[in-house]
Each structure stands twice: as structure tokens, then as C-alpha cells.
């Protein structure tokens, strides 16, 4: 019943004028400009958060389109430095051309990672759908081989392959591996991924445990209580926690200007109270800040993908004061 209500609201919303979608999404998207993103980060800094910035857009159709992202991320790096923000970059490999021209795509990603390296900044490669999983991991391996250790990828708990990927990355990178682990937003085919809620939670938790056992840096990106609870008790079992230097004997020295071996990450506008609770307990919490001209496409995708969003749209409409980023 709730699912039907939610789908109906979402179906109605995506047919609404652009301004209405913009109003609903202002909670999840910092705005269309870098200045909007800087404003939000300055405000959320007072809540003890740090940030990762995503210039909205993905899967370009011609390699020339990558230039927009190259230019915009240069501006992002400058803004982080100028405003002394505790922030790093999240990039989508397909926005740099990984699917249209693999070689040039890799060159483009290297340019960003190198530029960030010169400013002591970390770059996270967001993980897109299964067409690019292997290549995205390969980019990280290639860049580490070139001494660019300020880069790490995202792994998706729902994919069957992920535990093997962690094992392989442990061999290749050792404790310099730096992950964001999430459930995975793409609804992948059932021959390569778990599709049921509990299976996805269990698989994601198993990955968290494996990453911690490997001495890697582990960013737990979930708003789901069972995952967060599992992660906090797994951290405890490794003697890790707020204010404690990473006690794992195999922990890496490369920590990319971040916390002691782990952090929690959440999307802008989602589960703020839970994030603030984690921050108040002393955990490092990072907010994913999407902004850019492509805010409309991103918002429509989010509206269609998350079955709970319908209820949130209704809440924003009925209680407009609750709809703030
Ligand atoms: P779940 O979906 O069960 O959500 C728990 C609750 O959180 C929901 O009931 C709802 O209340 C709230 N919620 C979650 N997502 C919401 C949303 N978008 N809007 C409103 N409410 C929401 N995926 C991927 O494939 N590649 C990637 O690179 C990333 N990167 C990434 C970075 C960060 C910082 C986060 C937090 C997440 C990602 N993801 C991602 C997305 C991730 O894979 C996953 O799809 C979502 O986080 C939702 O899964 P949860 O674990 O939050 O649980």
C-alpha cells in the first residue's frame, strides 16, 4: 500500500513542471552552481561534517563532453582550497569518457587525480553499473602504480563479485586500499547480484568486515540502521572508534588526510539526525554534496529509484518547513 502510494506520488511528480521538481529536490541537491555547494558546506561544517563533492552528470556520449567536467573539477579544487573546506572529490568515471573512449577516459581521470594529488586531496571514483566495474577498479590500480595513492573506489555490497574484488585489491594494494562501501544503487541482473533486501544487507555487512580485516580505509555509506549498527559493532571488535588511533596491525599509513581508518558517509538531505548522532558520538561523518547544471536529470533519477521518496515528496508538500537541505 505504502509502495503504491509512493510510486503514484513519484509518477505524478516527474510530470510536474521543472520548478516543482527543483523545489522538491532542493533538499538533495546543493544547487546548480559551485557557490551553492560552498554555501551548504559552510553551513553543515558547524554540524561537524566533512564533505565529498560531486559535479552532477554521467555517461557522456562524445569524449569532448568530458572537458566540462575537467574544467568544473578544477574550480571545485580551487574552491575547497580557497574556503579551507574539509572536502574531497567524487567523480563518475563515465562522465570522463570511460565508456565512449576507454583510453582517453583513463587519461582524463588521471588528470583530475594528479591535480588533486598536488593539493593533498583525495578522489573517490563513484561506482556505476556493472558495465564499468572492472574498468573502474583497473583505473585505481593503474593510478596507485604511478604513485597516485590519493584515489580509491566504491564497491557495491549487492554484487556477487565484491568480496573477490576486496581480496584482489588486498593483494594489489595492501592496506593502501581505500573504499567506500554501499549497497549499490543500480538494480543489477539477478545472475550477478543479490536482489532481496536482507541478502543485500548481509552481503554489504560481510564486505565491511572484510575491508576492516584487510587493514583498508573503510567509508561506510549507508542510511540503513542495520548496516550502521553492524558497522559500529564491527569497528568495536577491531578496537576502532572515535578518537582512537587505528589499532589494526595491518592498517595502512596512507590515510589521505582523513580519519583513523574509517568514516560514515551519507547523502545530502538524507537522515540528517542519524548523521548528527554519529558525529556527536565522535565518528567522522562525510556528506555527499551533488551540485551542477544537471540537477534536474539527477533529481528525476533519484525520484524514480527510491521507493520511499514518494512519502518524502508528500511530506515536503504538506510540511514545507521540513524540506530544507
Ligand atoms: P536504504 O535504501 O534501505 O535506505 C535506508 C533509508 O534511508 C530509507 O528508508 C530512506 O528513509 C533513506 N534513504 C536512503 N536513500 C535515500 C534517498 N536517496 N533519498 C531519500 N531517502 C533515502 N551507490 C552506487 O551504486 N555507487 C556509488 O558510488 C554510490 N555512492 C554513494 C555515496 C554515498 C555517500 C551514499 C550514502 C550512497 C551512495 N550510493 C552509491 C547509494 C547506495 O548504494 C544506496 O543505493 C543508497 O545509499 C540507499 O541504500 P541505504 O544503504 O542507504 O539503505
Amino acid at each position: 500500500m505504502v509502495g503504491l502510494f509512493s510510486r503514484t506520488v513519484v509518477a505524478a511528480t516527474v510530470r510536474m513542471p521543472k520548478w516543482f521538481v527543483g523545489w522538491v529536490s532542493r533538499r538533495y541537491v546543493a544547487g546548480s552552481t559551485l557557490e551553492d555547494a560552498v554555501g551548504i558546506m559552510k553551513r553543515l561544517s558547524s554540524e561537524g561534517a566533512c564533505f565529498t563533492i560531486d559535479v552532477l552528470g554521467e555517461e557522456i556520449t562524445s569524449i569532448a563532453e568530458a572537458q566540462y567536467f575537467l574544467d568544473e573539477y578544477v574550480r571545485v579544487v580551487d574552491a575547497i582550497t580557497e574556503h579551507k573546506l574539509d572536502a574531497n572529490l567524487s567523480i563518475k568515471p563515465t562522465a570522463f569518457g570511460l565508456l565512449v573512449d576507454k583510453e582517453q577516459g583513463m587519461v582524463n581521470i588521471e588528470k583530475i587525480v594528479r591535480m588533486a594529488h598536488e593539493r593533498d586531496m583525495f578522489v573517490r571514483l563513484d561506482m556505476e553499473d556493472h558495465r564499468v566495474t572492472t574498468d573502474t577498479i583497473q583505473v585505481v590500480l593503474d593510478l596507485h602504480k604511478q604513485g597516485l595513492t590519493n584515489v580509491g573506489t566504491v564497491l557495491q555490497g549487492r554484487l556477487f563479485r565484491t568480496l573477490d574484488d576486496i581480496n584482489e585489491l588486498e593483494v594489489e594494494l595492501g592496506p593502501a586500499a581505500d573504499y567506500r562501501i554501499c549497497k549499490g544503487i543500480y538494480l543489477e541482473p539477478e545472475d550477478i547480484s543479490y536482489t532481496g533486501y536482507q541478502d543485500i544487507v548481509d552481503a554489504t555487512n560481510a564486505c565491511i568486515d572484510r575491508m576492516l580485516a584487510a587493514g583498508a580505509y573503510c567509508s561506510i555509506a549507508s542510511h540503513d540502521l542495520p548496516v550502521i549498527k553492524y558497522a559500529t559493532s564491527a569497528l568495536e571488535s577491531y578496537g576502532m572508534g572515535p578518537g582512537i588511533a587505528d589499532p589494526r596491525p595491518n592498517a595502512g599509513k596512507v590515510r589521505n588526510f582523513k580519519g583513523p581508518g574509517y568514516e560514515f558517509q551519507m547523502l545530502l538531505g538524507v537522515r540528517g539526525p542519524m548523521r548528527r548522532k554519529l558525529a556527536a558520538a565522535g565518528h567522522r561523518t562525510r556528506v555527499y554534496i551533488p551540485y551542477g547544471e544537471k540537477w534536474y536529470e539527477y533529481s528525476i533519477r533519484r525520484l524514480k529509484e527510491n521507493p520511499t521518496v514518494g512519502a518524502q515528496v508528500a511530506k515536503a508538500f504538506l510540511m514545507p518547513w521540513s524540506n530544507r537541505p
Side-chain angles (χ1 to χ4, degrees), residues 64-216:
E65 291 171 55
Q67 195 56 46
Y68 162 75
F69 294 97
L70 285 164
D71 294 343
E72 194 62 20
Y73 274 105
V74 171
R75 296 184 63 231
V76 171
V77 168
D78 285 344
I80 291 174
T81 312
E82 182 193 334
H83 296 280
K84 298 187 176 58
L85 295 164
D86 187 349
N88 60 38
L89 313 182
S90 279
I91 69 171
K92 296 234 164 17
T94 63
F96 287 85
L98 202 64
L99 270 177
V100 281
D101 179 343
K102 189 162 145 185
E103 210 170 304
Q104 188 56 44
M106 286 185 169
V107 170
N108 287 341
I109 295 168
E110 184 190 330
K111 277 187 196 162
I112 292 294
V113 174
R114 203 169 280 286
M115 174 189 62
H117 188 257
E118 282 159 13
R119 306 273 193 104
D120 289 346
M121 224 174 265
F122 180 73
V123 181
R124 176 72 63 199
L125 303 191
D126 282 352
M127 187 56 85
E128 299 166 88
D129 67 67
H130 70 273
R131 292 172 301 163
V132 288
T133 313
T134 300
D135 287 344
T136 303
I137 292 173
Q138 193 56 48
V139 174
V140 171
L141 291 174
D142 290 352
L143 294 175
H144 272 248
K145 275 193 194 116
Q146 295 177 46
L148 296 171
T149 51
N150 62 319
V151 63
T153 192
V154 178
L155 293 178
Q156 297 152 324
R158 72 166 65 229
L159 292 187
F160 295 154
R161 60 177 284 170
T162 298
L163 275 179
D164 290 338
D165 287 334
I166 301 168
N167 291 336
E168 190 194 319
L169 282 156
E170 185 181 4
V171 174
E172 297 285 336
L173 302 181
D178 184 321
Y179 302 108
R180 174 194 298 152
I181 176 70
C182 62
K183 290 180 184 172
I185 199 156
Y186 304 91
L187 300 179
E188 300 286 11
E190 57 188 32
D191 57 327
I192 61 166
S193 75
Y194 298 102
T195 52
Y197 169 78
Q198 194 55 50
D199 287 340
I200 295 172
V201 168
D202 291 345
T204 304
N205 289 345
C207 292
I208 292 171
D209 198 50
R210 188 71 202 87
M211 289 170 176
L212 292 174

Side-chain angles (χ1 to χ4, degrees), residues 48-52 86-90 122 124 178-181 208 211-212 216-222 227-228 231-232 235 240-242 246 248 255-266 278 282-288:
C50 57
F51 311 97
T52 187
D86 187 349
N88 60 38
L89 313 182
S90 279
F122 180 73
R124 176 72 63 199
D178 184 321
Y179 302 108
R180 174 194 298 152
I181 176 70
I208 292 171
M211 289 170 176
L212 292 174
Y217 192 90
C218 184
S219 306
I220 300 126
S222 176
V227 175
I228 293 173
T232 37
L235 288 165
M240 300 168 75
D246 193 338
R248 292 171 298 170
R255 281 301 175 245
N256 289 311
F257 337 105
K258 297 189 279 189
Y262 78 96
E263 62 188 42
F264 288 94
Q265 298 190 348
M266 295 194 186
L278 287 166
H283 298 288
R284 190 170 181 80
T285 56
R286 190 176 299 275
V287 184
Y288 188 97

